[in-house]
Amino acid sequence: MTALQQTDPEIYKLLACERERQENRLELIASENFTSPAVMEAQGSIFTNKYAEGYPGKRYYGGCVHADVVEELARTRGRALFGCDHINVQPHSGTQANMAVYFTAMKPGDAYLGMNLAHGGHLSMGHPKNFSGIIYHVIPYAVRADDHRIDYDQVRDLARKHKPRMIIAGASAYPRIIRYDLFAEIAAEVGAILMADIAHVAGLVAAGQHPSPFPHADFVTTTTHKTLRGPRGGLVMCKQQYAAALDSCIFPGMQGGPLMHVIAAKAVALGEAMTQQFKEYQARVVQNAKALASGLLEEGFRLISGGTDNHLVLIDLTDKGINGAQAQEYLESAGITVNKNSIPFDPLPPGKASGIRIGTPAVTTRNMGVEEMRLIAGMISKVLTQYANEDVVTRTRNEVLELCRQFPLYPQNGNGILHG
């Protein structure tokens, strides 16, 4: 009996249920992944007990000798992995990482260019109820109607017209390569700071599967839990000239004590990302996404931009007679986890949406390959075209379960509810 099982059997049972859900469902949410047992071990470690306000060598508490080494390891590995001048590993999330850059680079009321949320942008790029839309003046840029690619001409025109303090290159649901070099040209022309949000593609960037924002961007933010395959958290990187201001903005400006157990897990994930195995994994993520997109096209689905260059695919359901919320529910009943998602020029509100977003990081972590992506495309097609047929849904759910059993999530079966 574990300590948790003895102390709180209710939570223990819920953890066991969640473990079973992750093991026996196809996880296709593009922003989710499965960490290694080593990452989870670090995150669930003794460092959860330690308060360490400040930075290595400049803490407000005693007893930080080991915390200093852990944080410096995370910083050293991050700089080496991404080739940046400076990195701060303390942000608790991707949105807080973005907030740190906004607070460092802009004043309240300043204007910035960010990707239209309905065209693939993120909540922290100008949603009216998010700090990014409340404190600052967002000027959204869009994708073209004919090919759903970023309209760089529009970005340039908007930049020339509004002279924004900052331009953001990044997205949450954009299946194509982002041209950081073009964004840099535009920013330089109007004297704007360039920020790149690589939360979705950080692992691909680290492995050379997507262009790097360095040395083009002044600031680069990312989460650590998507393609980077680490714990839930954020990172901020910047050019050396902004380092002191950025660090001061994060602490004491935005956050108090850093989550040292999460920083330890970030260090582990960054170390894993420096291996050849990780590079090969990211190549398979992209290969699988292309195969999944190809399979969906063969099944008669419309894809935003016609395919993918990265880890995600955005499916347009407007010709299927269902919306994204319904598709999410139908697929969930068959053991396939996706998320509803707005598509460019979507006639429906975000709560319903006309599309679903799917990605391959998690299923690739399970060692599924191109052949399995073809099978998954067929499963998605069967469910979304025959969702009213309970026999079809049941058979698909059984097929999903069998496929998951062929590719166990944590086959090592270590000790503990999280690992085995």
Side-chain angles (χ1 to χ4, degrees):
M1 179 177 289
T2 69
L4 178 60
Q5 189 175 12
Q6 184 174 9
T7 302
D8 196 327
E10 187 174 9
I11 292 295
Y12 180 89
K13 182 179 179 180
L14 288 169
L15 289 181
C17 289
E18 177 60 15
R19 166 62 189 271
E20 188 275 336
R21 187 194 69 83
Q22 292 186 23
E23 282 277 6
N24 296 318
R25 302 292 181 97
L26 286 174
E27 182 55 73
L28 293 180
I29 293 178
S31 55
E32 293 193 9
N33 209 336
F34 300 120
T35 70
S36 70
V39 167
M40 285 191 286
E41 184 176 348
Q43 188 165 5
S45 71
I46 199 75
F47 269 114
T48 196
N49 297 332
K50 189 69 194 91
Y51 230 131
E53 281 188 352
Y55 294 103
K58 297 180 180 180
R59 303 287 190 185
Y60 281 76
Y61 288 84
C64 292
V65 57
H66 303 303
D68 282 2
V69 176
V70 165
E71 186 165 346
E72 192 53 52
L73 270 174
R75 297 198 297 193
T76 299
R77 291 173 181 178
R79 286 194 301 268
L81 181 65
F82 290 105
C84 60
D85 293 344
H86 179 75
I87 186 169
N88 190 303
V89 299
Q90 292 193 7
H92 301 333
S93 70
T95 293
Q96 284 187 285
N98 287 352
M99 182 183 286
V101 175
Y102 286 36
F103 285 3
T104 302
M106 295 191 290
K107 296 178 181 179
D110 278 352
Y112 70 95
L113 298 188
M115 192 173 201
N116 189 320
L117 272 65
H119 290 215
H122 186 257
L123 184 72
S124 61
M125 294 178 188
H127 191 283
K129 292 186 178 180
N130 184 266
F131 83 94
S132 59
I134 295 172
I135 300 176
Y136 306 100
H137 175 47
V138 59
I139 302 160
Y141 59 85
V143 299
R144 294 186 294 261
D146 58 346
D147 63 1
H148 300 140
R149 310 289 181 109
I150 292 174
D151 189 340
Y152 292 99
D153 290 334
Q154 183 196 56
V155 175
R156 189 182 300 275
D157 290 343
L158 289 171
R160 287 172 174 173
K161 178 180 179 180
H162 296 281
K163 298 294 191 294
R165 174 61 178 162
M166 188 167 72
I167 298 175
I168 301 175
S172 181
Y174 183 68
R176 295 299 182 177
I177 293 295
I178 294 177
R179 292 287 305 277
Y180 302 115
D181 56 339
L182 289 183
F183 272 109
E185 288 180 12
I186 296 168
E189 180 182 336
V190 300
I193 290 170
L194 178 61
M195 169 186 147
D197 181 337
I198 62 170
H200 263 270
V201 297
L204 304 182
V205 169
Q209 295 295 319
H210 186 287
S212 173
F214 301 103
H216 308 294
D218 298 289
F219 294 91
V220 178
T221 65
T222 184
T223 54
T224 49
H225 51 273
K226 297 183 178 78
T227 53
L228 200 53
R229 207 162 61 175
R232 304 194 71 80
L235 303 173
V236 184
M237 295 160 276
C238 67
K239 293 181 177 179
Q240 192 60 46
Q241 69 197 78
Y242 302 108
L246 175 68
D247 287 351
S248 179
C249 179
I250 294 174
F251 175 83
M254 283 172 43
Q255 297 182 176
L259 307 177
M260 287 311 305
H261 55 303
V262 179
I263 290 176
K266 290 177 184 178
V268 174
L270 291 168
E272 292 175 345
M274 299 172 75
T275 65
Q276 181 62 32
Q277 183 181 21
F278 185 82
K279 292 180 180 179
E280 294 170 356
Y281 159 70
Q282 295 295 343
R284 293 197 305 274
V285 167
V286 175
Q287 183 182 41
N288 281 347
K290 291 181 181 298
L292 183 55
S294 177
L296 289 166
L297 287 171
E298 291 175 5
E299 292 288 345
F301 286 94
R302 294 177 182 172
L303 304 183
I304 296 302
S305 82
T308 183
D309 295 326
N310 55 30
H311 65 297
L312 67 85
V313 178
L314 193 56
I315 303 176
D316 177 357
L317 297 170
T318 53
D319 65 336
K320 298 299 182 183
I322 57 174
N323 60 45
Q326 292 170 322
Q328 177 180 317
E329 180 183 348
Y330 299 148
L331 290 169
E332 181 79 15
S333 68
I336 301 172
T337 308
V338 303
N339 66 271
K340 60 182 176 293
N341 211 98
S342 295
I343 61 173
F345 312 102
D346 201 330
L348 296 179
K352 291 184 178 180
S354 295
I356 54 173
R357 185 187 65 167
I358 60 177
T360 55
V363 288
T364 306
T365 291
R366 298 183 75 143
N367 289 317
M368 294 184 191
V370 169
E371 182 179 346
E372 287 71 41
M373 297 308 106
R374 299 285 185 176
L375 292 175
I376 292 171
M379 293 175 184
I380 291 173
S381 180
K382 281 190 296 184
V383 173
L384 295 187
T385 56
Q386 303 179 67
Y387 53 84
N389 189 325
E390 293 185 7
D391 289 339
V392 169
V393 174
T394 299
R395 285 198 302 271
T396 304
R397 185 165 57 244
N398 290 334
E399 291 171 3
V400 167
L401 182 58
E402 177 56 31
L403 184 59
C404 289
R405 286 172 176 169
Q406 292 176 32
F407 296 89
L409 178 53
Y410 293 112
Q412 61 271 33
N413 288 322
N415 294 326
I417 191 66
L418 294 177
H419 307 164

